[in-house]
Amino acid sequence: MGVAGAGIAATSESIPAQGRWILAGTALAVLSVLGLALLIGPAARRLAGEQHPLTQAERQQMTATERVEAVNAARHTLIQAATGLVVIGGAVFTAQSLWYTAQSLDASRQAQWTAEQGQITDRYTKAVQQLGSDKIDIRLGGMYALERLAQDSSRDHQTVYDVLATFVREHDPKPSVELVPEPPSTDVQVALTIIGRRNVARDGTRPPNLDSIRISDANLRGADLRGISLTRAYVTYTNLVDAKLTGNNLDHINLDGSNLWGANLDNASLHIATLTNASLVRTRLRGASLNSADFTGSSLIDVDLRGAMLRDADFSTTHLYGVDLRGADLQGIHGKTEDEIRQRALVDKTTIF
């Protein structure tokens, strides 16, 4: 009865999993002992031929030694069978134990993942709340907390940088305010810096959006801005030395007075861009679309403009030296004649005038 009770209790969902396993193991051990005793005792005698108590004649025909040997032989056979059953039972029990362990590990991992997600949500909520503080140090703390969160959680990368981009857009000078060449506020500069050092590989199909921002005299030296849209943005007098803007949408952007030394804008779209008074030294603009761009007063030294589209661009009072215009389309340009271009830039038969 006790064994049966333990077996039934082992199937009860009200008992913890560990307790059920202990009960099941105890019941299995007791049944194994009882079965072994049965095999060695009565079962062995039956296998030896003792179906009924021996008659007087049978005792006379069989010596005691023979009877003992027959019983021992039967016991030996049954012990071997019992050993096989124990081995099989042990293998089954071991397999069940491994399955239970795997289930426990899965449950632990799930619980750990749930706890981590809860912590990430708490961190995100707290950091966003800090951005709304009227104290600069608390806002900066929130920004750095968001950056760390984006590093720790790839699934939150896009959300974090969308929040920072929104912060920049909401805290820049509005069109009604005259844009003067003075540095942006500290928190806006920090937000831009964090955006510029994000892991671009995690951007996916929707990088941060900075369309129409109005920033002057910002420091974006070496910033990785690939994929970020900056259409109709005012990014004047800005340090973009060695910045990465390959393939970006920069149509109608205003880069007046900005420093683009060593910046990479290959294949970027800069239709009707304002590049007046800008400094472009060893800047890469290979394959860029610069139709109707305004280079008035700018310095273009050792700039790579191979294959660029420069139709109707304005080069009035522009300083050109060592510019590579092979394969570029210069139809309708203003401010420089074909002869002047040929004297000051590198062209070939693929250059279109």
Side-chain angles (χ1 to χ4, degrees), residues 40-41 44-50 54 58-59 61-77 79:
I40 294 176
R45 290 190 173 87
R46 282 184 174 276
L47 187 62
E50 294 187 5
L54 295 177
E58 290 173 335
R59 290 192 181 93
Q61 293 176 359
M62 191 175 187
T63 65
T65 301
E66 290 174 338
R67 290 197 299 273
V68 170
E69 289 177 351
V71 171
N72 286 339
R75 285 173 175 169
H76 180 71
T77 300
I79 286 174

Side-chain angles (χ1 to χ4, degrees), residues 209-263:
N209 187 322
L210 293 174
D211 287 341
S212 301
I213 64 167
R214 289 167 54 84
I215 301 295
S216 181
D217 203 16
N219 183 7
L220 290 170
R221 185 187 185 99
D224 194 340
L225 303 173
R226 287 176 293 173
I228 293 178
S229 180
L230 284 157
T231 61
R232 301 186 184 279
Y234 280 74
V235 193
T236 57
Y237 297 95
T238 295
N239 182 354
L240 286 162
V241 174
D242 296 326
K244 299 179 181 66
L245 291 149
T246 53
N248 287 49
N249 186 351
L250 308 172
D251 292 342
H252 298 274
I253 192 170
N254 190 331
L255 289 162
D256 178 51
S258 293
N259 187 347
L260 291 127
W261 282 44

Side-chain angles (χ1 to χ4, degrees), residues 280-307:
L280 291 86
V281 179
R282 293 189 295 277
T283 307
R284 291 178 58 98
L285 285 158
R286 189 172 183 177
S289 297
L290 290 148
N291 293 329
S292 300
D294 188 354
F295 291 93
T296 303
S298 294
S299 294
L300 277 69
I301 301 173
D302 296 329
V303 176
D304 187 352
L305 279 161
R306 284 176 288 175

Side-chain angles (χ1 to χ4, degrees), residues 14-92:
S14 61
I15 298 177
Q18 185 177 1
R20 294 202 303 272
W21 276 94
I22 293 173
L23 290 173
T26 302
L28 182 61
V30 172
L31 286 174
S32 298
V33 172
L34 292 176
L36 189 60
L38 178 65
L39 290 173
I40 294 176
R45 290 190 173 87
R46 282 184 174 276
L47 187 62
E50 294 187 5
Q51 302 292 331
H52 305 286
L54 295 177
T55 63
Q56 185 63 31
E58 290 173 335
R59 290 192 181 93
Q60 290 177 353
Q61 293 176 359
M62 191 175 187
T63 65
T65 301
E66 290 174 338
R67 290 197 299 273
V68 170
E69 289 177 351
V71 171
N72 286 339
R75 285 173 175 169
H76 180 71
T77 300
L78 291 174
I79 286 174
Q80 288 180 330
T83 301
L85 290 174
V86 170
V87 171
I88 293 173
V92 172

